[in-house]
């Protein structure tokens, strides 16, 4: 459904009127297209404290963005160099390496580095703060100071995300070495992450592979998307196929016309299967005798009703599609070795599972369960099968599901986030694709919200 308010505020009279009335000012987000694969402009690399990372420069050079002021190199500490001076041209993105922030004084360098440049970040720009993992070994005596100021980065990032406006996103990436950052930085510093803001992502695990062809990272891989015939699942199937995967579009028999049409367009395969079938995992494995590389659990349903009015059938149908079938098929495919080493599981949670929603005790429980599954299974799946397990948690996404929501609730859902607009299915799909890429092996056990930094479930 079209967001007419967004179109209205893009006109001069619309902008004038809504500003005068103090109404939200959503910016038209810059999304990925073959013609515009990169953000336009330079990348500014700043440091607060003494970096705990190795050499970040080669990693940043591979993001596709030219480094601002390469002659001067990265700006260290209080922003004194030419590159960080307020009068400079707009930059597309800023990476602030705050991994070395260990006390309140070094935390002040975060302010000193970003304060002069924040105004010169272009619309639809990106700010990525790099931090250390919170469980890194404490320094003798003052580990709690380090832990305090590293945690402080989360409050900083989320606050800046809420105030910066103009479609700019702000995220925190925790990591132990520069190499672990590459795939995530390439995503966060690209137009593909347009609707991902206010997130804290940890990238420390091992197991990334560099694809032979970076423009087709999933070439030679097979990906299965449950509920792939329409909505977000369709966008995921299209995006994984764009990245080179052979896509299996799984959906219920009633959706087979759509599933077959889509699979035909993508050079993939349609699979008619109700994912709640007790033997769904075995049937998928039988269908894919050579194995599977990417498993996207996207199928999901809602059957809303307040608990007081909710019959057991509404509870169990939602829990079975959204959580029970995810647990069963994951177990079956891992047990059969059907997910090849280097494989990726991406499940679909929801901000409703993180924040809760009136009328959605069943749905909220099922989606919170996905977060629990990811947290518990991820380390074991990586150790035993070489497979990562992550989840995307969409916020308000413009689909048939949200088009059916009553007008006022729909408008509130759209505007109550830092970007003041709903996301598109492709935003969830791009996030899923990043987690599915072979180069994303460092990212494991994460639940990444695709919600424009929704005010719900923050
Ligand atoms: P949708 O209703 O448009 O599509 C869901 C697809 O799953 C349909 O093709 C449907 O046939 C399929 N499906 C349902 N039950 C199935 C089963 N038993 N076996 C196989 N396929 C089945 O939904 P939408 O909006 O695309 O959502 C996709 C996922 O994203 C769901 O898990 C949903 O909970 C989640 N989500 C969506 C949000 C939104 O704003 N649209 C927000 C948060 C999460």
């Amino acid at each position: 459904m079209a967001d007419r308010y967004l179109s209205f505020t893009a006109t001069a009279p619309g902008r004038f009127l809504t500003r005068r009335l103090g109404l939200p000012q959503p910016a038209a987000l810059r999304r990925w297209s073959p013609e515009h694969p990169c953000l336009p402009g330079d990348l500014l690399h700043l440091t607060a404290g003494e970096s705990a990372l190795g050499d970040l420069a080669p990693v940043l050079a591979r993001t596709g963005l030219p480094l601002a002021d390469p002659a001067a190199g990265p700006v260290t500490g209080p922003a004194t160099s030419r590159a960080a001076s307020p009068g400079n041209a707009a930059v597309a993105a800023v990476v602030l390496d705050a991994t070395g922030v260990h006390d309140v004084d070094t935390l002040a360098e975060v302010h000193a580095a970003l304060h002069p440049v924040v105004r010169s970040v272009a619309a639809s720009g990106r700010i990525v703060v790099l931090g250390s993992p919170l469980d890194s070994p404490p320094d003798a005596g003052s580990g709690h100071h380090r832990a305090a100021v590293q945690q402080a980065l989360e409050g900083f990032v989320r606050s800046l995300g809420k105030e910066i406006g103009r479609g700019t996103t702000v995220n925190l990436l925790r990591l132990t070495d520069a190499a672990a950052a590459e795939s995530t930085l390439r995503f966060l510093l690209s137009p593909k992450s347009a609707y991902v803001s206010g997130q804290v992502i940890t990238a420390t695990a091992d197991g990334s592979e560099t694809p032979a062809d970076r423009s087709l990272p999933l070439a030679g891989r097979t990906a299965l998307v449950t509920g792939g015939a329409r909505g977000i699942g369709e966008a995921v199937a299209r995006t994984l196929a764009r990245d080179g995967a052979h896509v299996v579009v799984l959906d219920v028999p009633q959706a087979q016309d759509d599933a077959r049409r889509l699979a035909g367009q993508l050079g993939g395969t349609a699979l008619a299967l109700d994912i709640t079938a007790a033997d769904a995992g075995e049937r998928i494995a039988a269908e894919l005798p050579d194995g599977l590389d990417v498993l996207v659990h996207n199928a999901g349903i809602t059957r809303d009703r307040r608990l007081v009015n909710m019959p057991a059938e509404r509870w169990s149908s939602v829990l079975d599609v959204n959580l029970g079938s995810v647990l069963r098929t994951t177990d079956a495919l891992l047990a059969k070795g059907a997910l090849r080493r280097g494989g990726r599981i991406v499940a679909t949670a929801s901000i409703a599972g993180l924040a809760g929603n009136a009328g959605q005790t069943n749905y909220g429980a099922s989606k919170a369960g996905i977060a629990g599954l990811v947290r518990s299974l991820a380390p074991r799946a990586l150790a035993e099968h070489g497979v990562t397990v992550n989840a995307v948690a969409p916020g308000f996404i413009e689909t048939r599901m949200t088009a059916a929501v009553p007008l006022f609730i729909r408008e509130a859902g759209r505007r109550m986030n830092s970007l003041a607009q709903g996301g598109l299915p492709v935003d969830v799909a791009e996030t899923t694709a990043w987690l599915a890429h072979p180069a994303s092996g460092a990212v494991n056990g994460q639940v990444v919200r695709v919600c424009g930094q929704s005010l719900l479930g923050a």
Side-chain angles (χ1 to χ4, degrees):
M1 153 151 310
D3 182 346
R4 294 210 178 86
Y5 182 83
L6 178 60
S7 315
F8 181 57
T9 52
T11 65
R15 208 164 27 245
F16 174 78
L17 189 66
T18 51
R19 277 215 178 113
R20 290 295 290 268
L21 294 172
L23 294 172
Q25 300 293 310
L29 301 183
R30 185 183 289 277
R31 292 187 167 87
W32 185 92
S33 70
E35 298 75 38
H36 302 289
C38 289
L39 298 172
D42 291 354
L43 166 61
L44 183 58
H45 174 195
L46 306 172
T47 307
E50 195 176 322
S51 172
L53 300 172
D55 189 5
L56 198 58
V59 174
L60 296 180
R62 286 192 290 272
T63 60
L65 294 172
L67 278 183
D69 196 12
V75 185
T76 303
T80 49
S81 108
R82 283 173 292 142
S85 61
N88 265 14
V91 289
V94 180
V95 170
L96 172 68
D97 181 351
T99 52
V101 164
H102 59 92
D103 59 14
V104 175
D105 287 341
T106 43
L107 183 63
E109 292 183 26
V110 170
H111 169 268
L114 285 176
H115 166 71
V117 298
V118 76
R119 211 190 288 274
S120 42
V121 177
S124 276
R126 302 282 183 268
I127 295 181
V128 178
V129 177
L130 304 180
S132 292
L134 290 180
D135 55 3
S136 38
D139 312 331
S142 61
H144 56 297
H145 289 225
R146 186 186 186 87
V149 293
Q150 283 293 326
Q151 181 93 42
L153 296 175
E154 296 188 12
F156 171 79
V157 158
R158 292 198 172 114
S159 300
L160 184 57
K162 286 184 177 171
E163 71 184 33
I164 194 160
R166 300 202 305 147
T168 293
T169 65
V170 188
N171 292 290
L172 174 63
L173 172 58
R174 297 197 181 280
L175 71 174
T176 42
D177 64 275
E182 178 149 349
S183 142
T184 305
L185 275 179
R186 285 166 68 88
F187 171 67
L188 290 177
L189 297 174
S190 81
K192 293 177 177 176
S193 61
Y195 202 61
V196 176
S197 193
Q199 297 308 291
V200 180
I201 298 161
T202 301
T204 52
D206 250 348
S208 294
E209 295 168 42
T210 308
D213 180 354
R214 280 184 199 279
S215 64
L216 284 176
L218 293 172
R221 300 199 176 222
T222 300
L224 181 135
V225 184
T226 71
R230 69 168 203 222
I232 292 172
E234 176 185 347
V236 171
R238 289 187 184 281
T239 306
L240 298 179
R242 176 203 67 190
D243 288 352
H246 175 93
V247 178
V248 181
V249 180
L250 181 153
D251 214 303
V252 289
Q254 305 86 294
Q256 278 315 289
D257 285 351
D258 288 343
R260 271 197 290 268
R261 195 174 316 116
L262 177 63
Q265 288 170 15
L266 304 179
T269 319
L271 177 55
L273 181 62
D274 184 330
I275 199 67
T276 62
D279 61 349
E282 286 72 14
R283 286 174 56 190
I284 292 170
E287 198 71 26
L288 298 167
D290 294 336
L292 181 63
D293 302 289
V294 177
L295 171 61
V296 181
H297 292 294
N298 163 80
I301 59 169
T302 51
R303 297 283 183 273
D304 296 356
R305 195 78 55 94
R306 285 178 185 269
L307 183 62
V308 68
N309 297 320
M310 186 180 295
E313 184 280 324
R314 283 195 172 231
W315 174 271
S316 58
S317 56
V318 167
L319 266 295
D320 202 26
V321 176
N322 296 4
L323 183 59
S325 71
V326 174
L327 291 164
R328 281 194 302 274
T329 44
T330 301
D331 287 353
L333 290 170
L334 285 176
K336 284 184 163 302
L339 269 155
R340 287 195 277 254
R341 288 198 82 75
R344 308 276 180 255
I345 297 173
V346 185
T348 309
S350 164
I351 58 164
L354 308 178
N357 249 354
Q360 292 198 316
T361 51
N362 51 358
Y363 186 76
S366 71
K367 295 300 189 178
I370 292 292
L373 158 71
V374 164
R375 196 173 42 250
S376 168
L377 180 61
R380 190 159 55 81
L382 188 61
E384 294 176 11
H385 304 277
V387 169
T388 62
V389 187
N390 294 287
V392 289
F396 184 98
I397 305 295
E398 305 279 358
T399 60
R400 287 216 309 235
M401 188 174 100
T402 47
V405 171
L407 177 69
F408 285 110
I409 302 177
R410 186 167 72 227
E411 264 310 293
R414 274 183 177 142
R415 305 300 156 218
M416 283 175 61
N417 59 74
S418 296
L419 300 172
Q421 59 195 288
L424 301 181
V426 72
D427 297 321
V428 183
E430 294 286 14
T431 309
T432 304
W434 152 59
L435 293 169
H437 287 168
S440 297
V443 186
N444 194 27
Q446 305 296 296
V447 178
V448 181
R449 293 166 36 159
V450 186
C451 64
Q453 197 180 17
S454 171
L455 303 183
L456 298 173

